[in-house]
Amino acid sequence: MARDNMSSYNRSLLSRRFRYASRPNYNPTPEQEEHLNCVHNKIRTGFYKLQEHPCPSCNSDKYEVIGEVDRHGLPCSTTICTSCGLLMTNPCFRPEDYSDFYFHHYRNIYKDIQTNSNGQELSEDYETIAHNRPRVVDQYTLLQKNLVMDNKTKVLELGCGKGELLYRLSKDGCECIGTDYDEKVIAFGQAHGLQLLKGDLNDIEEGNFDLVIMSHSLEHMPNPTKVIYDIARKMSDAGKLFINVPNVLDTFIGTYSDLMNIVQFVHLFNFTPQSLNNLMTNCNFNHIVTESNSDNREILALFEKRSPSHAEIMPEYTELSRALRRHEYSRWVQPHYLYEKILHYSYPYRHKLGLSNLKNRFTNKLW
């Protein structure tokens, strides 16, 4: 992997299994395997090109490489900033490469929605999803506890998906707009009266938003600092920014107990609550509140704009690096990790016996 002279890095992988190998950490479906092979080919032929970047939280170019592969078997240089402790992919691919990936491969590898050509969901009623989906419930609850919203509140959600959270906020009287790149999910939300647009922040002409929502999108941004500054320019003076991202501390306290299940090709940044606060501090936002979701796997945080000024960040490199290595060495005594591995290696035999969905049937009961 070619590197220029901009960065100082050490290669110190967590363990041998984090060396690059093109095997997924799970059993892909034929459709997933087809798209993964296509992505591998684009990387090998140079269609996707790598570029390095400084840490967005502290602007340091010093980092430690702890992994070379993600859970899909795709090359993914997972690094930890030795100045502040932010876990990130560095080098990463160009923004246009990720755009190509999202357009052609993302939904096929990360399939979590069934829609027909008209964007109508086949599995559940929209009202049911908006009021019962755990993630939406957690997000809505935090916003209701910490903000006063009425029919004058302007809300923008970037990467809104089907728009379930916007649907609930619009029912409370808020003026809501959402953006996403997936035409099917946009059509689905539009069919239920939401103002959803194909695109991103650059496609939003108006501004003065009182609340901007980024749910599981910040970790996908190649340049999060620029995105946050651009968002700030679209916000009112007292505007709030709500961010929901995966919590890398789920490695220690969550369902999977395995960093390999968290590291992903499309997750360019893996946040802890502190590293998220560091990034927002560097982007001139003050912290209001941070909570975990109902199963501790996600960070839900609310921030407010402040005048540009210098503010100290709190490094966590030493603590996080030691914790990751200690946990990696002791993973075989973690019950959740053993459970996942048993399911993984028994899949071919369970599939022959018609028990390939064993995990879906029993996971909730076991954990």
Side-chain angles (χ1 to χ4, degrees):
M1 186 176 292
R3 300 177 186 270
D4 55 29
N5 295 323
M6 69 165 286
S7 298
S8 172
Y9 73 96
N10 295 314
R11 182 178 179 274
S12 183
L13 304 186
L14 289 182
S15 67
R16 293 175 59 185
R17 71 193 184 108
F18 281 88
R19 293 176 182 172
Y20 174 66
S22 59
R23 299 184 302 275
N25 195 40
Y26 59 93
N27 298 287
T29 65
E31 183 180 16
Q32 286 175 316
E33 193 165 11
E34 177 186 350
H35 282 269
L36 287 172
N37 289 336
C38 186
V39 174
H40 276 293
N41 187 56
K42 289 181 177 181
I43 295 172
R44 283 194 298 267
T45 59
F47 185 80
Y48 289 170
K49 298 183 184 298
L50 291 167
Q51 60 182 15
E52 290 191 342
H53 58 86
C55 174
S57 295
C58 67
N59 303 315
S60 172
D61 59 4
K62 297 179 174 61
Y63 57 89
E64 183 177 73
V65 180
I66 62 173
E68 298 174 337
V69 65
D70 80 341
R71 68 179 184 178
H72 302 291
L74 296 171
C76 179
S77 180
T78 301
T79 68
I80 183 169
C81 174
T82 56
S83 296
C84 72
L86 177 61
L87 205 63
M88 57 186 170
T89 300
N90 197 12
C92 62
F93 294 99
R94 302 168 300 176
E96 56 265 35
D97 299 331
Y98 289 109
S99 296
D100 177 88
F101 177 82
Y102 287 121
F103 186 80
H104 293 104
H105 309 294
Y106 180 73
R107 288 290 176 186
N108 300 93
I109 296 175
Y110 295 81
K111 182 168 289 186
D112 62 353
I113 180 174
Q114 288 185 316
T115 57
N116 64 16
S117 58
N118 295 320
Q120 300 296 314
E121 182 149 323
L122 302 177
S123 58
E124 284 190 275
D125 173 70
Y126 191 72
E127 186 84 20
T128 301
I129 298 172
H131 286 84
N132 295 294
R133 187 182 180 192
R135 178 180 293 172
V136 179
V137 172
D138 291 335
Q139 294 171 344
Y140 182 78
T141 301
L142 182 140
L143 293 175
Q144 286 294 310
K145 286 194 303 184
N146 295 280
L147 296 177
V148 177
M149 294 179 285
D150 53 31
N151 57 6
K152 295 181 180 179
T153 303
K154 292 183 63 177
V155 181
L156 168 66
E157 182 172 6
L158 304 173
C160 63
K162 300 185 291 294
E164 304 103 313
L165 180 58
L166 291 180
Y167 180 80
R168 294 197 64 172
L169 294 175
S170 66
K171 292 296 183 181
D172 292 340
C174 298
E175 180 185 341
C176 299
I177 301 176
T179 67
D180 203 285
Y181 284 111
D182 192 312
E183 293 181 346
K184 289 184 178 180
V185 296
I186 289 174
F188 184 72
Q190 289 173 337
H192 291 82
L194 293 177
Q195 185 180 353
L196 305 186
L197 308 174
K198 181 181 179 182
D200 54 26
L201 185 66
N202 296 323
D203 299 292
I204 301 295
E205 296 181 359
E206 57 185 291
N208 209 36
F209 288 98
D210 302 299
L211 173 64
V212 178
I213 299 168
M214 297 184 73
S215 175
H216 287 259
S217 56
L218 183 63
E219 68 272 20
H220 296 261
M221 303 294 181
N223 191 344
T225 304
K226 180 181 183 302
V227 171
I228 294 170
Y229 279 130
D230 289 343
I231 288 173
R233 285 191 283 270
K234 296 278 188 178
M235 297 171 67
S236 64
D237 292 338
K240 307 295 189 296
L241 177 57
F242 172 68
I243 296 176
N244 185 186
V245 292
N247 186 359
V248 74
L249 296 184
D250 177 54
T251 301
F252 313 114
I253 61 178
T255 304
Y256 295 118
S257 294
D258 186 3
L259 182 65
M260 184 63 81
N261 282 327
I262 297 175
V263 174
Q264 301 180 42
F265 175 80
V266 294
H267 284 189
L268 307 185
F269 300 93
N270 294 284
F271 294 103
T272 66
Q274 185 57 58
S275 63
L276 179 60
N277 286 348
N278 287 342
L279 173 64
M280 299 307 297
T281 297
N282 194 40
C283 295
N284 299 316
F285 275 80
N286 286 331
H287 172 255
I288 298 177
V289 64
T290 297
E291 295 183 3
S292 296
N293 71 328
S294 52
D295 61 2
N296 292 319
R297 293 179 59 188
E298 300 178 6
I299 302 168
L300 295 87
L302 191 62
F303 302 89
E304 62 181 352
K305 283 176 63 175
R306 63 173 169 83
S307 300
S309 61
H310 176 72
E312 295 293 332
I313 65 172
M314 297 181 62
E316 59 175 358
Y317 163 71
T318 302
E319 295 83 357
L320 183 60
S321 179
R322 287 176 179 173
L324 288 172
R325 295 185 185 283
R326 184 168 57 247
H327 191 81
E328 176 67 14
Y329 297 147
S330 64
R331 68 186 186 278
W332 287 107
V333 298
Q334 304 292 333
H336 294 90
Y337 181 82
L338 292 174
Y339 171 67
E340 290 287 330
K341 287 304 174 186
I342 290 171
L343 289 178
H344 176 78
Y345 289 114
S346 66
Y347 178 83
Y349 310 102
R350 291 187 289 108
H351 183 69
K352 291 180 181 179
L353 296 173
L355 299 174
S356 56
N357 65 339
L358 185 67
K359 178 178 179 179
N360 295 332
R361 291 166 56 187
F362 294 110
T363 296
N364 291 335
K365 293 182 180 180
L366 288 172
W367 310 120

